[in-house]
Amino acid sequence: MRIGELAESAGVSSQTIRFYERQGLLAEPARGANGYRVYDESAATRLRFIAMAQAAGLTLSQIRSILDLRDQGTTPCQHVTTLLDTRLADVRTRIRDLLTLQTELETLLQRSRLLDPGDCADQDICHILSPSQ
């Protein structure tokens, strides 16, 4: 299949496919007599894998490391499990940080409803975001 057909089947743009080739995520395809790229089903499989891995929050570098292991004949399952464990830990940390931020914002909004703008002193800039009084 040609690049446009591959792009459509994978739901990505032709530019994305070329980018993945430059990044080493997809092998350079064969060329037809007309010079057009010719892809086989394995390219579509790799593109679907890349999309799933990105949806799981893995970086292109991490995805490349998985593909490299597979290309070397190694089953990358343990490596993928480690990457996903790390990603999940990062997400949990981010959720805790966002919950802390949510609480802070709720507190500031509640404070903003209780303060009178007329009481805001010039040195405060905005007394909603000034240290508690």
Side-chain angles (χ1 to χ4, degrees):
M1 75 185 90
R2 295 199 351 215
I3 194 166
E5 296 165 320
L6 177 62
E8 185 175 328
S9 74
V12 299
S13 69
S14 298
Q15 291 83 4
T16 297
I17 293 171
R18 289 184 193 100
F19 174 77
Y20 288 165
E21 288 173 6
R22 286 191 305 272
Q23 296 301 308
L25 297 169
L26 285 176
E28 275 289 321
R31 299 273 181 166
N34 56 8
Y36 291 159
R37 290 172 163 88
V38 179
Y39 297 90
D40 59 19
E41 187 56 35
S42 67
T45 299
R46 279 178 90 98
L47 281 173
R48 286 190 293 274
F49 173 80
I50 293 167
M52 288 292 298
Q54 284 182 309
L58 298 180
T59 66
L60 291 181
S61 176
Q62 292 168 326
I63 294 167
R64 185 181 310 103
S65 72
I66 297 165
L67 293 171
D68 287 347
L69 286 171
R70 174 50 83 184
D71 291 343
Q72 295 165 10
T74 303
T75 304
C77 298
Q78 183 57 49
H79 180 60
V80 170
T81 299
T82 300
L83 291 172
L84 293 175
D85 278 340
T86 301
R87 181 68 181 137
L88 181 57
D90 292 344
V91 167
R92 287 179 174 150
T93 298
R94 183 72 176 139
I95 288 170
R96 278 192 303 275
D97 292 346
L98 287 170
L99 288 171
T100 299
L101 177 59
Q102 177 184 0
T103 300
E104 172 130 1
L105 291 170
E106 288 169 344
T107 300
L108 287 169
L109 282 170
Q110 182 62 32
R111 181 178 179 182
S112 75
R113 292 180 184 105
L114 299 173
L115 294 173
D116 180 356
D119 294 336
C120 191
D122 288 341
Q123 69 272 14
D124 288 335
I125 301 174
C126 175
H127 62 183
I128 297 168
L129 296 175
S130 294
S132 297
Q133 300 168 14

